[in-house]
Amino acid sequence: MRYRHSVGAHVWQFSDLKELMAKATPARSGDDLAGVAAGSYAERMAARMCLADLPLQRFLDEALVPYETDEVTRLIVDTHDREAFAEIAHLSVGGFRDWLLSDAADGAALARVHAGITPEMAAAVCKLMRNQDLILAARKCRVVTRFRNTIGLPGRLSVRLQPNHPTDSPRGIAVSMLDGLLYGTGDAVIGINPATDSIPALVDLLHLMDEVITRFEIPTQSCVLTHVTNTIQAIELGAPVDLVFQSIAGTEQANSSFGINLAVLKEAREAALSLKRATVGDPGTANVMYFETGQGSALSANAHHGVDQQTCEVRAYAVARAFAPLLSNTVVGFIGPEYLYDGKQIIRAGLEDHFCGKLLGLPLGCDVCYTNHAEADSDDMDNLMTLLGAAGLSFIMGVPGADDIMLNYQSTSFHDALYLRDVLGLQRAPEFEEWLQKMNITDRAGRVQPILPGHHLLEQMRLPPLAA
C-alpha cells in the first residue's frame, strides 16, 4: 500500500509502511548507512505528518517483516492481545501520542493496554515524540520483577555491578565486586562479561559469585553473560545459575546470526526455572532471564530487511517480554558511531529505547555508554543518565571508574549511581537497601558510610590469590 502526504504543492509518496516508518525516524547514522533515512528534513516531516494520521489498526494489517519467513513477526502477531488493544483501537498514531501524554493514560491504564501494543505501534508513536514526551510517558509505566529482590518499584533505581576482567582473574573480579558492594551497588545483578567461552571457567565464575552472595546473604542475583547454550551446559553440570543471559535482536535472521532462536530461549528459561533458586515470590515462575539489545544489531548482521534500526530494536523487546525477564537493557552506544554517530543521537536512542520497552511492559534498563571513536563524551552520558533517571529507568551499570577494561568502552561508575540517587531522591531495591544498612555500608537515609580498616566485609572477603 502506498502512502502520501501533501505539503503545499508538493506530494510526498512512500511505497509502503516500512518506508514511511524509516523516513519518519529522527536522523541517525545507522539509517543513513542502510540507505533508508529521509533525504531531507522536509521529507522527514512529511513522513511524520502522514504517520500521525495512520490508524493503529494498520500495523495489524501490514507486516514490516513477512509473517511467513520471520518467527519474530509470528510471535508478535500470534501473541497480540486483541482485548487489551480494544481500548486504543480507535486511535491514530498521533491520537495515541496525545493519549499517552494525557492524564487518562496513568499507570493502571498503561498496564491494561501494553499487551495490545505491538512493537511497530510503539516505534511509530515514538517517532512523533519529543525527548520530554518520551520521559513523561515512560515515567508513568511501571514494570516490577523479582528474583532475590524486587526491581522496578517507584522511586527506586537498581545497579548492575559489572566486575569484568580481561583475563577473568578471580582476584581482579572479587576486588571489583567488593568495591561495588561498598559503594552500595549490585541490587540489579552481579554480572560478569567473561573473556572466555570455556565451560569449566564459566562454572568457576558462577561459583565465585555464588560463594560471595551466599556467605554474606546478599539479596541479589548473579549472572555470567555468556552465550545461552553455554549457560544451559553449566546448568546441566550443576552450576549455581541464577539468571540466563542472551543478546537478542528484532528479526529471526539477526537472532540466527547470534546462534539462537525462540526455542533455545524457551529451553534455557525452563532449565533455569527448574533450579528454583529465587527467594522472592514463587521460584517456579520467577523472572530468570536477562536480555541485552542495541540499536543497529540487526543492521550489523545485514538482517534488517530494510526496516529502520529503531523499529528493529523495538521488535527485539517483543522477544524479550515473551520470556518474562528479570532484567533487560539497551547497550545504547556500544555498537559504535556507524549506528549512533554522536552524543545527540545516543541520547535520543536511549530515551526511545526506554520509552518503547516500558510501553510494551518490559523491565528496561540502560547501559549508558559510548565507544572511544564516537563523537560523544562523559558529559553526554551525564545528560542521558539524568534524563533516564527522571524517566523511571529500572537500572544502570556500575563499572569501576566507568571504564570497562575488558570490553574497552565507557559506561557508568559506582559514583554515577550515587549522584543519581542524591539528585533525584532514588532508593535501591528494598531488600538490598535493608542489607546495606545491616552491614553498616549505608545509613538509614541510604548514604554510603566511610569504610574503615577492620570493617567485617573487608575482613571476611577472603580474596583468591593473584592468578599466575
Side-chain angles (χ1 to χ4, degrees):
M1 178 177 176
R2 296 186 69 84
Y3 300 87
R4 63 182 62 199
H5 188 83
S6 300
V7 180
H10 189 88
V11 178
W12 295 93
Q13 297 196 55
F14 309 97
S15 60
D16 54 20
L17 185 54
K18 179 164 54 178
E19 182 184 6
L20 177 64
M21 291 276 281
K23 295 295 177 66
T25 305
R28 65 205 57 203
S29 54
D31 290 337
D32 288 334
L33 179 64
V36 301
S40 66
Y41 287 107
E43 185 181 23
R44 182 174 295 115
M45 187 54 65
R48 288 178 180 172
M49 294 174 74
C50 185
L51 186 62
D53 292 335
L54 200 68
L56 290 179
Q57 176 65 39
R58 169 52 54 186
F59 295 96
L60 302 177
D61 300 333
E62 184 177 344
L64 303 189
V65 183
Y67 180 95
E68 296 76 15
T69 59
D70 188 90
E71 70 172 357
V72 176
T73 299
R74 293 194 291 275
L75 173 70
I76 292 167
V77 173
D78 295 347
T79 61
H80 181 248
D81 189 329
R82 288 276 182 174
E83 185 176 343
F85 179 61
E87 189 168 341
I88 57 173
H90 63 288
L91 296 173
S92 65
V93 178
F96 188 32
R97 172 190 176 274
D98 293 342
W99 180 76
L100 287 169
L101 298 177
S102 73
D103 292 336
D106 58 13
L110 291 168
R112 286 196 306 271
V113 303
H114 76 75
I117 302 170
T118 69
E120 291 82 0
M121 293 176 194
V125 74
C126 179
K127 298 175 193 303
L128 305 183
M129 300 174 85
R130 292 174 55 184
N131 287 2
Q132 65 173 253
D133 300 338
L134 299 175
I135 294 168
L136 175 62
R139 186 174 178 83
K140 296 191 283 186
C141 302
R142 283 295 162 186
V143 184
V144 179
T145 56
R146 299 172 177 85
F147 190 82
R148 289 202 188 96
N149 57 29
T150 307
I151 297 170
L153 293 170
R156 307 268 177 176
L157 173 73
S158 295
V159 178
R160 170 187 159 190
L161 173 47
Q162 186 170 308
N164 294 344
H165 193 278
T167 64
D168 289 338
S169 161
R171 182 178 179 86
I173 289 170
V175 168
S176 292
M177 286 172 59
L178 176 61
D179 190 24
L181 290 170
L182 293 178
Y183 275 106
T185 68
D187 51 340
V189 64
I190 301 175
I192 299 172
N193 296 93
T196 179
D197 282 332
S198 161
I199 301 299
L202 300 176
V203 170
D204 287 345
L205 292 177
L206 287 163
H207 280 290
L208 169 63
M209 290 186 290
D210 184 62
E211 180 186 355
V212 173
I213 289 172
T214 301
R215 184 193 307 169
F216 297 108
E217 299 179 326
I218 308 173
T220 192
Q221 36 283 326
S222 68
C223 184
V224 172
L225 283 72
T226 185
H227 193 271
V228 62
T229 55
N230 291 337
T231 305
I232 292 173
Q233 290 186 61
I235 291 173
E236 292 170 347
L237 292 172
V241 172
D242 290 340
L243 304 183
V244 176
F245 169 81
Q246 183 57 46
S247 295
I248 57 173
T251 69
E252 178 179 347
Q253 186 181 352
N255 283 325
S256 294
S257 75
F258 293 161
I260 62 164
N261 55 35
L262 300 181
V264 169
L265 296 178
K266 182 175 184 290
E267 178 188 355
R269 181 172 183 267
E270 291 173 350
L273 285 173
S274 72
L275 301 180
K276 297 185 176 180
R277 291 175 58 82
T279 59
V280 178
D282 181 359
T285 59
N287 304 115
V288 295
M289 303 298 285
Y290 176 14
F291 295 117
E292 283 189 345
T293 65
Q295 287 195 30
S297 59
L299 175 57
S300 68
N302 194 27
H304 60 103
H305 300 276
V307 178
D308 68 271
Q309 69 179 36
Q310 189 252 335
T311 301
C312 282
E313 169 73 3
V314 188
R315 283 171 55 92
Y317 301 159
V319 176
R321 74 173 174 179
F323 298 96
L326 180 78
L327 305 168
S328 56
N329 70 269
T330 168
V331 192
V332 67
F334 182 75
I335 302 181
E338 301 86 354
Y339 307 96
L340 296 169
Y341 178 73
D342 56 15
K344 180 180 176 68
Q345 292 187 9
I346 292 172
I347 289 169
R348 173 69 191 191
L351 294 176
E352 290 173 345
D353 295 350
H354 179 249
F355 161 75
C356 289
K358 287 290 182 64
L359 189 62
L360 293 177
L362 195 64
L364 205 81
C366 183
D367 190 343
V368 179
C369 63
Y370 65 100
T371 57
N372 287 314
H373 61 311
E375 290 294 323
D377 59 25
S378 57
D379 288 335
D380 295 313
M381 298 306 102
D382 286 349
N383 293 342
L384 177 55
M385 178 176 60
T386 305
L387 294 172
L388 286 170
L393 185 72
S394 295
F395 70 102
I396 61 171
M397 305 298 138
V399 178
D403 183 5
D404 192 302
I405 59 173
M406 197 280 281
L407 293 175
N408 293 310
Y409 78 115
Q410 307 304 309
S411 185
T412 46
S413 71
F414 307 141
H415 300 81
D416 291 330
L418 296 180
Y419 150 75
L420 274 184
R421 298 193 195 289
D422 193 33
V423 169
L424 300 176
L426 300 171
Q427 297 178 293
R428 302 164 183 87
E431 301 87 349
F432 194 77
E433 197 86 75
E434 182 179 347
W435 177 81
L436 290 172
Q437 292 176 22
K438 184 178 72 172
M439 297 294 288
N440 295 318
I441 295 173
T442 63
D443 61 18
R444 291 197 169 189
R447 294 170 299 203
V448 172
Q449 299 298 288
I451 303 299
L452 302 175
H455 188 282
H456 52 288
L457 191 62
L458 295 174
E459 293 294 323
Q460 295 178 44
M461 187 95 164
R462 298 188 301 273
L463 297 178
L466 287 169

